[in-house]
Amino acid sequence: MELQERLNDVRSRIAAGERQAARPAGSVELVAVSKTFEAEAIRPAIDAGQRVFGENRVQESQGKWPALKAERPDIVLHLIGPLQSNKAADAVALFDVIETVDREKIARALAEEMKRQDKRPRLYVQVNTGLEPQKAGIAPDDTPAFVSLCRDELGLSIEGLMCIPPAEENPGPHFALLAKLALKCGVEKLSMGMSGDYETAIAFGATSVRVGSAIFGAR
């Protein structure tokens, strides 16, 4: 399949998932994960009308996205990979959405940079639903307090939660946990679901899904 065919297939599956879950059409946003792909490999997706993209690394993104965004100012770029505090300034400058706020040091660095640059990317808190030691994210039990810290002490507007379930586990309970935490925290957005499980995530209330290999092919 060509990229446009794969993209249309993912879009169709998202629409079917919305219908099956009795959710409004268009209620789930597709974040096309373009990490490791060069600009020329991304252009066909842009030409096919895709405008929301996800990247893992700040430095890699700086090499390709400023030019693409200059060509298409309506592109929305999500940071979905780990963020180091020394990259906070670059992340605030480039990204429209930062999904990986996962510790107080990062939250403070972002608050400082957003004030300095007078730029307000939308923010999500990453939750480590599986309590995996090798994976970034706030522990589920600590999430409400962390969201409160971001809002009340640092003045950050947190619009959603994000998770990456353990690869070897059924993702459903993790998606259900994230949805429950979102209600407790008073946030509306849920970034969950990737190429292998985004249809399940839609059934559990995902408002955005992060799909890479099903669109761009194997890395």
Side-chain angles (χ1 to χ4, degrees):
M1 293 172 71
E2 295 294 322
L3 184 146
Q4 186 162 350
E5 290 179 279
R6 295 194 297 268
L7 179 59
N8 287 337
D9 179 64
V10 171
R11 287 169 170 166
S12 296
R13 288 173 180 270
I14 289 172
E18 290 171 338
R19 290 192 298 271
Q20 190 167 352
R23 298 179 58 185
S27 59
V28 180
E29 183 174 66
L30 170 60
V31 180
V33 179
S34 48
K35 65 179 183 180
T36 76
F37 288 96
E38 298 297 328
E40 291 311 307
I42 298 168
R43 287 183 194 278
I46 297 173
D47 292 342
Q50 182 64 27
R51 292 294 180 269
V52 185
F53 293 88
E55 288 282 343
N56 261 38
R57 297 181 184 277
V58 175
Q59 192 167 348
E60 178 191 339
S61 304
Q62 288 174 310
K64 58 188 176 183
W65 280 105
L68 291 170
K69 291 186 78 174
E71 294 170 16
R72 296 280 189 172
D74 56 342
I75 283 174
V76 177
L77 190 59
H78 289 232
L79 178 62
I80 61 172
L83 177 61
Q84 302 301 319
S85 56
N86 65 350
K87 294 291 186 182
D90 294 334
V92 169
L94 180 58
F95 289 91
D96 303 289
V97 184
I98 297 173
E99 296 198 15
T100 49
V101 182
D102 65 353
R103 57 198 186 280
E104 185 175 339
K105 184 178 181 180
I106 287 296
R108 290 189 181 278
L110 289 172
E112 184 177 320
E113 280 303 325
M114 288 163 70
K115 185 176 181 180
R116 189 178 70 82
Q117 297 184 35
D118 193 25
K119 192 169 182 288
R120 309 289 291 186
R122 291 148 48 202
L123 302 178
Y124 286 58
V125 166
Q126 182 172 351
V127 182
N128 187 347
T129 57
L131 294 173
E132 296 175 275
Q134 79 283 9
K135 192 173 286 183
I138 298 288
D141 287 349
D142 297 334
T143 299
F146 181 70
V147 171
S148 293
L149 169 79
C150 291
R151 286 173 171 161
D152 301 338
E153 184 176 334
L154 303 179
L156 296 174
S157 178
I158 303 295
E159 82 167 28
L161 304 179
M162 179 267 238
C163 76
I164 305 170
E168 69 283 359
E169 293 186 18
N170 174 6
H174 295 273
F175 297 151
L177 173 58
L178 199 72
K180 183 179 178 182
L181 285 170
L183 283 173
K184 188 177 289 189
C185 294
V187 300
E188 296 182 354
K189 303 290 188 179
L190 288 169
S191 172
M192 56 191 197
M194 298 185 289
S195 288
D197 57 19
Y198 67 91
E199 290 162 294
T200 301
I202 291 169
F204 281 95
T207 58
S208 61
V209 293
R210 309 179 305 273
V211 181
S213 57
I215 295 171
F216 292 100
R219 291 179 172 82

